[in-house]
Amino acid sequence: MKNKLNHNWELTNLFSILAFLMLSSFLLTACHKSYDEKKQEEKASRAELEREDSLALKIATVPTLDCLPLFIGVEDSLFLQNGLDVHLKQRGAQIDCDTLVRGKHVEGFVSDLIRTERLKKEGIALRYITATGSYWQLYTNRIARIKELKQLSDKMIAMTRFSVTDYLADYAIDSAKPKYDVYKIQINDPRTRIKMILNNEMDAALFTEPQATTARIHGNPMLMDSRDKNVHMGVIAFREKALTGKRRQQQLKTFIKVYNMAVDSINKNGFLHYASIISKYTGADVKTIKALPQMKFSHVTPPRAHDIAIAKRY
């Protein structure tokens, strides 16, 4: 009887072990299958995102107000409502947008004529879609007590090389002829430039909006405005090779249509209506947005030959 009980116990244990092993094998197979399926799904998802991105109209932007029609076009779904998928590639500085253009990662970008003409000299064919009406102002640190341009002698100006801010810094220096050298310091991100002025780390800097308004409302003197010099350098440009084919041409037509719609909306509703969008994309605070000057945005209009000629000579 005892031997029989032992035999039955051994059989029971054996069946339990076999059941456990089978269950473990099943679970391991299921987990492995689940892991493989998950990796396949992730791979398929990435491929779909890449496909969508390749078909979309990709535009590089910077945290400045000249990009506002594009920000609104995306945030208010104006592009999508008109059958156009636009992907904005947000960058902190124009130099980073240039990198995207050189690498053919975007079809278009917001820039200035000094930069775009430089890219053209590198052999990159560009088509100017529209001037943006941007302007740039030279502000000095209120602590520096600089009242006129000639007092920039032995001072530092924050700007970006090979850009309209570089050109305007030279314009200011050449026109004032300070006694000593003026040091042009390359600070590419306009948000960093405004922080340096507010933190008393820079003597002067060149800004477009909304950073120019931030400098103004904090009591920093403005010594030069590009509009007074008849200089209008803001531009949106596209790579010529990116516009080949009927599909891209249709996308461009729709882009122009929506851009004009966004411009009309800005002019009608004002900046405060779009405060959340401006803040999201430029980092401007409410105080700055409320203090933005009255500005009228224009429909798509090619840049002036006069400004292109200046940029080519610089």
Side-chain angles (χ1 to χ4, degrees):
M1 176 64 73
K2 185 176 180 180
N3 288 339
K4 185 176 181 181
L5 289 172
N6 286 339
H7 179 69
N8 290 340
W9 183 83
E10 288 174 356
L11 285 174
T12 301
N13 278 350
L14 180 61
F15 285 133
S16 297
I17 292 169
L18 288 172
F20 174 77
L21 291 173
M22 290 174 66
L23 178 62
S24 297
S25 177
F26 172 77
L27 290 173
L28 285 171
T29 302
C31 288
H32 184 68
K33 182 180 179 182
S34 176
Y35 176 78
D36 286 345
E37 287 176 347
K38 185 177 180 182
K39 296 299 288 184
Q40 286 296 326
E41 288 172 0
E42 289 176 354
K43 184 178 179 181
S45 178
R46 283 197 303 271
E48 178 60 21
L49 288 174
E50 289 174 3
R51 187 188 73 83
E52 290 176 359
D53 196 53
S54 68
L55 294 174
L57 195 64
K58 299 172 290 297
I59 305 172
T61 62
V62 285
T64 51
L65 211 59
D66 48 356
C67 302
L68 185 57
L70 307 187
F71 300 153
I72 293 171
V74 169
E75 290 293 318
D76 284 0
S77 300
L78 296 179
F79 287 121
L80 285 178
Q81 289 169 12
N82 284 272
L84 177 60
D85 189 14
V86 170
H87 291 183
L88 299 183
K89 305 297 181 179
Q90 299 175 62
R91 295 296 183 268
Q94 289 177 330
I95 192 170
D96 300 318
C97 295
D98 292 354
T99 300
L100 291 178
V101 172
R102 290 190 182 98
K104 302 177 183 178
H105 301 297
V106 294
E107 283 71 55
F109 63 126
V110 181
S111 190
D112 68 66
L113 289 170
I114 301 293
R115 298 199 75 82
T116 55
E117 285 300 317
R118 178 178 172 81
L119 287 171
K120 282 185 174 184
K121 287 180 180 178
E122 293 178 11
I124 300 173
L126 297 174
R127 185 188 303 182
Y128 293 135
I129 305 303
T130 184
T132 62
S134 299
Y135 58 84
W136 285 261
Q137 296 173 328
L138 173 62
Y139 283 86
T140 61
N141 190 316
R142 60 189 181 85
I143 302 299
R145 297 181 180 178
I146 299 171
K147 304 294 185 183
E148 50 187 329
L149 290 175
K150 67 180 181 181
Q151 291 177 305
L152 290 171
S153 179
D154 203 30
K155 302 295 183 182
M156 298 183 296
I157 299 181
M159 38 61 75
T160 300
R161 290 179 67 204
F162 312 123
S163 77
V164 64
T165 58
D166 196 2
Y167 167 78
L168 291 171
D170 283 345
Y171 192 110
I173 295 166
D174 293 343
S175 63
K177 296 181 172 54
K179 184 176 181 181
Y180 300 109
D181 288 342
V182 181
Y183 305 101
K184 296 192 298 181
I185 310 299
Q186 180 160 320
I187 308 294
N188 293 323
D189 192 322
R191 295 167 300 186
T192 302
R193 287 205 295 271
I194 190 60
K195 287 178 182 177
M196 294 183 78
I197 285 291
L198 298 182
N199 293 331
N200 305 319
E201 297 170 336
M202 190 63 58
D203 299 310
L206 282 144
F207 300 109
T208 187
E209 298 293 357
Q211 291 80 21
T213 291
T214 303
R216 174 173 56 82
I217 64 177
H218 282 84
N220 299 289
M222 192 265 288
L223 297 190
M224 190 174 76
D225 189 319
S226 62
R227 292 171 295 184
D228 297 334
K229 311 302 177 185
N230 193 26
V231 173
H232 302 279
M233 292 287 177
V235 70
I236 295 177
F238 279 70
R239 292 186 296 110
E240 279 286 4
K241 290 184 178 179
L243 298 177
T244 57
K246 290 183 179 180
R247 186 173 177 280
R248 288 298 191 194
Q249 287 294 328
Q250 184 56 50
Q251 284 184 321
L252 180 58
K253 288 179 181 178
T254 305
F255 170 81
I256 291 171
K257 174 187 173 183
V258 174
Y259 184 91
N260 290 339
M261 290 170 60
V263 161
D264 289 340
S265 188
I266 295 168
N267 292 337
K268 176 184 177 182
N269 297 308
F271 292 133
L272 275 179
H273 183 77
Y274 294 109
S276 61
I277 294 177
I278 295 172
S279 179
K280 176 181 177 179
Y281 285 90
T282 71
D285 58 22
V286 175
K287 187 177 179 181
T288 292
I289 296 169
K290 286 183 176 179
L292 285 169
Q294 292 284 336
M295 292 171 58
K296 183 175 176 59
F297 279 64
S298 299
H299 280 190
V300 166
T301 306
R304 303 182 308 174
H306 166 77
D307 297 307
I308 295 173
I310 291 174
K312 284 181 176 180
R313 289 196 302 268
Y314 183 67

